[in-house]
């Protein structure tokens, strides 16, 4: 054994044991250090020495390196799971906040809806009580404020996303810079091949924190640096770090960009991704459903309220609150097509029924106005209203529609039944009247124009003859001359001697004279055959001393608008003539009812027609031979066009969504404008019934749900999603704990194991020291022998 042989092996053994003890001590010292990975001394046999005859003898132990105990695959899964847990935490926090905003079940919209319908119910029991009307308006205002508050809070919750993301992006940029700095230090430290364990642990800790914020893909290079990709974009490359920025899309949502560019980063996991996802998908969905509920409430309430009548009776004047846009920029808002007017609610292709009431006699005259939003503008609607007798309408410079009734008259849009539909006296009236045998259009194509016939009026003692001339220009198409075209042309010549009208589509001519000696007859002039072409009887008819009094009662319960037309089956006396019947037909020509008004009928007795409508007939003569008839509008909806709702005429609510819903300003100023009735009679609560029916109505706009059921679904979905988010968070957190436990088993410090290692290396050190002492003694003995 050479002099250096024993000393070299002993010294290497001492070094290995010392480093082993020092490493174990370092592990123990960092047992509670976050992100620390257990280190281990890697030992290997030193290169042997060759001695005589080719024999090799060991030279002791070498310390190859000190390594970190990590599992790279496990680290990647931990980073991903950390992002999933952080994102699930955001989802749960957001849904919990949203659920608390709804304030259910002890407050919020549910209570507001209950109070609103409850106030309507209380008013229904006493429609004349002014304080109860005020209660309805107040509860409506509180409900609107609940909508406003909920909408604002959801908006604020979503609006905080930008600032939250901006703060997290700033933190992400700091972490990215730290990773880049550590990359530079690791590259320098490992240039000699020695692993920089502590620096790598520090870098791993930074990346773990980054993965909580945004999904991270780490790629290690041969130099020891890590490149970091975020959302598919390179954030860190070696010692250089890019930065992220926060901006807003054209739609106002938050987006993450590569700083200094318009390149968008699409994170998939982490807190930032969860915040963006909630802002773009979660909260807008609930905001949309709250707006949908508010919009449907406004629409359906106003549909009913706008066609109702306040306790004061029909209106003297009304002005719209909503105005169309000035799309062509000409400074006038009334010339835009209704389909392009951008009103809060769409105008439909339908009809509006307006009723003008004589305040003295109570007589009502109903007019149907057909509206096509693709063809008509607001000025057209105003013109059509202005053509109604005793009504004026115009569009003011601000674009508001103003409707005014003449003095002594009122108007409304109620669907109520006309209690006296035979006011024109075309059915058993005192004035003689004649009706065509069929409804229009009429074929006049074989006639030679101008076409003339005479109308004989007056009395048998003082007859009057009026010549009526029909010109070709009176008709758009003579082959299909409409009843309205004929009415206009005939009335232009009749003067005050008689009046032509359209009753149920038939042409009716009524003399201005009344009484048993009043007469009405027709005769062709020249070669024309106008009388027969129009289906008018050739015989002269006479009036009577007492007109048949026709009265209608009840409430129409049908689902569709229609018109009942009444025709006697023959000539006879009400209540006297055997088998005298009155046939009732609807708009389609289908027979609705056959009413027995012959012998045995007590005049004035109500007869059931259909769908809640009743009619009674007073005594008097009726004549089928004269084409006598009358018609009755039966309306389920007196505004199928929604023009009243779109313009905000006689509305309860104003606005169009949860943000701007409010009770109409005029109604808040004067609760007497609450339209609780349909007929206008004292104590009428017909419209309150319709408003209360809204509570149970299954609305198409709410996916065939009632208002309260729809809201219950929204609240239920929020609760379900909150519970789901909590379950997801629990499951993801449990998986994270398992992965952390697995990492702890691989990279964590076990104090007992480290103490065992320390004892083992201490014993190795003691043995190596004794070995060196023995070598020293042998060496000294050999030296002394040589002396």
């Amino acid at each position: 054994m050479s002099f250096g042989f024993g000393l070299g092996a002993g010294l290497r053994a001492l070094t290995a044991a010392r480093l082993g003890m020092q490493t174990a001590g370092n592990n123990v010292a960092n047992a509670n250090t976050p992100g620390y990975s257990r280190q281990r001394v890697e030992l290997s046999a030193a290169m042997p020495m060759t001695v005589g005859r080719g024999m090799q003898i060991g030279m002791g132990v070498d310390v190859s390196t000190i390594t970190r105990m990590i599992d790279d695959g496990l680290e990647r899964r931990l980073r991903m799971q950390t992002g999933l847990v952080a994102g699930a935490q955001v989802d749960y926090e957001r849904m919990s906040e949203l659920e608390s905003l709804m304030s259910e079940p002890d407050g919020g919209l549910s209570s507001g809806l209950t109070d609103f319908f409850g106030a309507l119910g209380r008013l229904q029991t006493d429609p004349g009580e002014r304080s109860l009307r005020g209660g309805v308006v107040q509860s409506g205002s509180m409900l609107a404020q609940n909508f406003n508050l909920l909408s604002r809070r959801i908006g604020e919750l979503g609006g905080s996303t930008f600032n939250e993301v901006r703060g997290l992006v700033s933190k992400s940029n700091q972490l990215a810079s730290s990773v880049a700095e550590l990359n530079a230090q690791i590259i320098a430290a490992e240039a000699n091949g020695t692993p920089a364990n502590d620096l790598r642990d520090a870098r791993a800790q930074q990346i773990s924190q980054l993965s909580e914020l945004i999904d991270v893909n780490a790629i290690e290079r041969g130099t020891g640096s890590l490149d970091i990709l975020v959302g598919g974009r390179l954030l860190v490359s070696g010692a250089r770090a890019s930065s992220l920025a926060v901006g807003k899309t054209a739609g106002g949502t938050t987006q993450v960009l590569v700083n200094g560019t318009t390149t968008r980063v699409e994170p998939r996991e982490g807190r930032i991704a969860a915040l963006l996802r909630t802002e773009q998908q979660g909260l807008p969905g609930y905001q949309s459903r709250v707006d949908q509920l508010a919009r449907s409430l406004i629409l359906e309430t106003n549909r009913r309220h706008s066609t109702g009548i306040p306790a004061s009776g029909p209106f003297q004047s009304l002005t719209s609150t909503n105005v169309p846009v000035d799309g062509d920029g000409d400074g006038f808002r009334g010339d835009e097509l209704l389909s392009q007017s951008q009103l809060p609610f769409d105008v439909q292709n339908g009809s509006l029924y307006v009723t003008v009431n004589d305040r003295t006699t109570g007589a009502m005259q109903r007019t149907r106005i057909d509206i096509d939003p693709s063809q008509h503008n607001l000025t057209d609607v105003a013109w059509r209203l202005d053509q109604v007798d005793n009504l004026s309408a115009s569009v003011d410079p601000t674009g508001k529609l103003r409707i005014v009734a003449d003095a002594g008259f009122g108007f409304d849009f109620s669907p109520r039944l006309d209690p006296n539909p035979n006011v024109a006296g075309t059915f058993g009236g005192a004035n003689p009247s004649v009706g065509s045998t069929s409804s229009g259009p009429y074929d006049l194509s074989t006639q030679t124009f101008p076409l003339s016939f005479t109308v004989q009026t007056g009395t048998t003692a003082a007859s009057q003859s009026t010549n009526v001339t029909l010109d070709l220009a009176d008709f758009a198409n003579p082959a299909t001359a409409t009843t309205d075209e004929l009415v206009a042309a005939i009335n232009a010549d009749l003067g005050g001697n008689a009046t032509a009208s359209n009753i149920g589509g038939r042409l009716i001519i009524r003399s201005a004279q009344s009484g048993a000696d009043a007469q009405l007859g027709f005769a062709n002039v020249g070669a024309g055959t106008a009388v027969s072409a129009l289906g008018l009887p050739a015989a002269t008819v006479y009036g009577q001393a007492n007109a048949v009094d026709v009265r209608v009662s009840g409430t129409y319960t049908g689902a569709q608008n229609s018109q009942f037309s009444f025709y006697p089956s023959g000539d006879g006396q009400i209540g006297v003539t055997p088998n005298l019947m009155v046939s009732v037909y609807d708009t389609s020509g289908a027979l609705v009812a056959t009413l027995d008004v012959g012998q045995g009928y007590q005049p004035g007795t109500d007869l059931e027609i259909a769908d809640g409508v009743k009619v009674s007939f007073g005594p008097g003569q009726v004549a089928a031979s004269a084409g006598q008839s009358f018609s009755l509008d039966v309306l389920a909806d007196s505004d199928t066009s929604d023009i009243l709702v779109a313009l905000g005429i006689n509305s309860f609510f104003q606005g169009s969504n949860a943000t701007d819903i409010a009770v109409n300003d005029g109604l808040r100023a004067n609760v007497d404008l609450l339209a609780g009735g349909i007929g206008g009679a004292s104590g009428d609560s017909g419209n309150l019934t319709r408003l209360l029916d809204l509570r149970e109505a299954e609305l198409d706009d709410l996916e065939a749900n009632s208002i309260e059921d729809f809201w219950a679904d929204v609240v239920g979905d929020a609760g379900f999603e909150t519970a789901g988010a909590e379950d997801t968070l629990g499951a993801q957190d449990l998986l994270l704990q398992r992965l952390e436990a697995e990492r702890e088993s691989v990279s964590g410090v076990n104090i007992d194991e480290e103490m065992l290692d320390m004892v083992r290396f201490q014993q190795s050190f003691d043995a190596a020291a004794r070995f060196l002492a023995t070598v020293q003694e042998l060496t000294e003995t050999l030296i002394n022998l040589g002396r």
Side-chain angles (χ1 to χ4, degrees), residues 231 233 249 253-258 261-266 280:
R233 305 293 178 182
T249 65
T253 58
T254 307
Q255 62 178 346
V256 178
L257 306 170
V258 176
T261 72
T262 59
T263 302
R264 189 170 179 174
V265 177
E266 300 285 356
Q280 296 166 12

Side-chain angles (χ1 to χ4, degrees), residues 52 79 186 383 520 543 600 700 716 721:
R79 286 196 295 267
I186 290 170
W383 181 84
L520 178 63
D700 291 340
E721 286 196 43

Side-chain angles (χ1 to χ4, degrees), residues 263-313:
T263 302
R264 189 170 179 174
V265 177
E266 300 285 356
R268 298 182 298 273
E269 305 298 343
R271 295 188 66 86
I272 293 175
L275 286 169
L276 295 178
R277 185 169 56 248
T278 302
E279 180 194 44
Q280 296 166 12
Q281 301 173 15
L283 292 177
Y286 281 95
Q287 179 69 71
S288 176
R289 294 176 74 182
V290 173
D291 283 337
Q292 181 183 358
L293 178 63
R295 184 178 181 82
S296 293
L297 177 66
I298 296 169
L299 175 63
E300 297 299 335
T301 301
N302 287 351
R303 276 175 172 168
R304 291 158 173 78
H305 193 272
S306 63
T307 56
I309 302 176
S312 57

Side-chain angles (χ1 to χ4, degrees), residues 155-358:
E156 291 171 352
L157 186 58
S160 67
T161 298
F162 180 82
N163 289 331
E164 289 187 58
V165 171
R166 183 167 58 180
L168 296 179
V169 164
S170 176
K171 185 176 180 180
S172 298
N173 289 335
Q174 294 175 6
L175 292 171
S177 297
S178 297
V179 171
E181 293 174 5
L182 288 168
N183 275 343
Q185 296 174 30
I186 290 170
I187 291 171
E190 295 184 349
N192 61 358
T194 303
N197 293 329
D198 293 331
L199 291 175
R200 284 177 173 267
D201 280 345
R203 183 177 65 184
Q205 186 67 6
Q206 298 293 306
I207 295 173
S208 177
Q209 293 179 29
L210 183 61
S211 66
E212 290 184 17
L213 309 180
I214 198 165
D215 52 301
V216 170
N217 185 15
I219 302 173
E220 184 166 358
R221 303 301 181 188
T223 59
S225 70
L226 278 180
D227 288 352
I228 304 297
L229 280 77
V230 170
R233 305 293 178 182
L234 190 62
L235 182 61
V236 177
S237 178
R240 296 193 309 273
S242 300
S243 60
L244 302 175
V246 183
K248 285 187 175 291
T249 65
T253 58
T254 307
Q255 62 178 346
V256 178
L257 306 170
V258 176
N259 197 23
T261 72
T262 59
T263 302
R264 189 170 179 174
V265 177
E266 300 285 356
R268 298 182 298 273
E269 305 298 343
R271 295 188 66 86
I272 293 175
L275 286 169
L276 295 178
R277 185 169 56 248
T278 302
E279 180 194 44
Q280 296 166 12
Q281 301 173 15
L283 292 177
Y286 281 95
Q287 179 69 71
S288 176
R289 294 176 74 182
V290 173
D291 283 337
Q292 181 183 358
L293 178 63
R295 184 178 181 82
S296 293
L297 177 66
I298 296 169
L299 175 63
E300 297 299 335
T301 301
N302 287 351
R303 276 175 172 168
R304 291 158 173 78
H305 193 272
S306 63
T307 56
I309 302 176
S312 57
F315 301 98
Q316 188 65 40
S317 68
L318 281 175
T319 302
S320 64
T321 56
N322 303 325
V323 297
V325 298
D326 180 16
D328 54 14
D330 63 353
F332 182 59
R333 296 176 177 268
D335 58 356
E336 306 296 334
L337 289 176
L338 292 171
S339 61
Q340 301 174 5
S341 294
Q342 298 182 28
L343 292 165
F345 297 92
D346 293 336
V347 179
Q348 311 296 324
N349 192 348
S351 300
L352 171 67
Y353 291 83
V354 57
T355 302
V356 177
N357 307 267
D358 187 321

Side-chain angles (χ1 to χ4, degrees), residues 33-55:
T33 302
Y36 178 78
S37 300
R38 180 166 60 92
Q39 298 178 13
R40 183 176 65 187
V41 175
E42 300 291 344
L43 303 178
S44 62
M47 290 296 294
M49 172 185 289
T50 303
V51 295
R53 288 182 290 186
M55 292 186 299

